[in-house]
Amino acid sequence: MDMPEAYNQGKEDGLSATDTQTELRGRLQEIGKLDVLAANAKIHNVNKVGDKYAALYEFGADVIFSVDLSKARVLSGDGSIEIYLPKPVAEINVDSTRTKLVAVRQRGWFNGTTEDGLNEYLNTIDQLKDNAQKTLENYEWLENQAEETASGQV
């Protein structure tokens, strides 16, 4: 068999785009969730007990952007393969060791119980992640950076 014939035979017998696409899908499924960007954050939140006491806390947090590669779409055609990645999702992890009391306002003597104060503080913590997630949505540049990083890693 001469060189041009061998080339053509190899081309016919080689991996097709469908095989490559299937292999790529399998590998992306294997990887699953890929962390693409990490950022430190400071989240401010007010803890109130009635109208007599308020405290401003600064919570330290880590924000991890990740992409679920199992949800990526792989398309092929015209000798090329395209991978469409889902949008990165941010997960916020509050680190209680990085919590600081920034300011306190108290009118007169505090007349609540320790239990009231604890319940209000725990409610503040519960609302913290929701508020932080809403605030994070305003940082489009951070989401864009996560998307670019994800594309570069894949």
Side-chain angles (χ1 to χ4, degrees):
M1 185 181 300
D2 64 0
M3 187 62 123
E5 283 180 57
Y7 171 80
N8 289 332
Q9 183 65 37
K11 190 173 176 182
E12 287 175 23
D13 293 342
L15 283 177
S16 69
T18 304
D19 293 337
T20 304
Q21 184 179 2
T22 303
E23 193 175 307
L24 219 81
R25 273 197 190 117
R27 182 68 181 125
L28 293 173
Q29 290 284 333
E30 240 177 66
I31 295 170
K33 182 178 154 186
L34 176 67
D35 293 342
V36 295
L37 185 68
N40 290 321
K42 292 180 182 177
I43 306 165
H44 294 95
N45 210 350
V46 175
N47 174 27
K48 290 183 178 182
V49 180
D51 62 350
K52 300 262 184 189
Y53 176 85
L56 174 63
Y57 287 94
E58 177 182 277
F59 297 90
D62 297 312
V63 182
I64 308 295
F65 285 89
S66 62
V67 174
D68 185 356
L69 294 179
S70 67
K71 294 180 181 175
R73 290 185 308 136
V74 180
L75 304 174
S76 63
D78 296 331
S80 67
I81 293 179
E82 294 180 6
I83 301 172
Y84 294 91
L85 300 175
K87 279 192 154 298
V89 175
E91 182 180 323
I92 301 169
N93 301 308
V94 177
D95 180 356
S96 60
T97 64
R98 294 174 15 212
T99 301
K100 295 179 188 173
L101 177 61
V102 177
V104 175
R105 187 198 74 192
Q106 186 171 335
R107 290 190 201 156
W109 290 98
F110 178 70
N111 59 359
T113 66
T114 305
E115 185 177 350
D116 291 338
L118 177 61
N119 286 337
E120 289 301 323
Y121 180 75
L122 293 175
N123 288 338
T124 297
I125 297 296
D126 288 342
Q127 295 171 3
L128 182 65
K129 278 193 177 184
D130 289 338
N131 292 341
Q133 192 71 41
K134 288 175 188 169
T135 301
L136 196 58
E137 290 169 5
N138 293 324
Y139 290 98
E140 190 175 320
W141 61 270
L142 200 52
E143 286 184 3
N144 291 341
Q145 181 66 44
E147 286 178 8
E148 287 177 27
T149 304
S151 293
Q153 287 184 18
V154 171

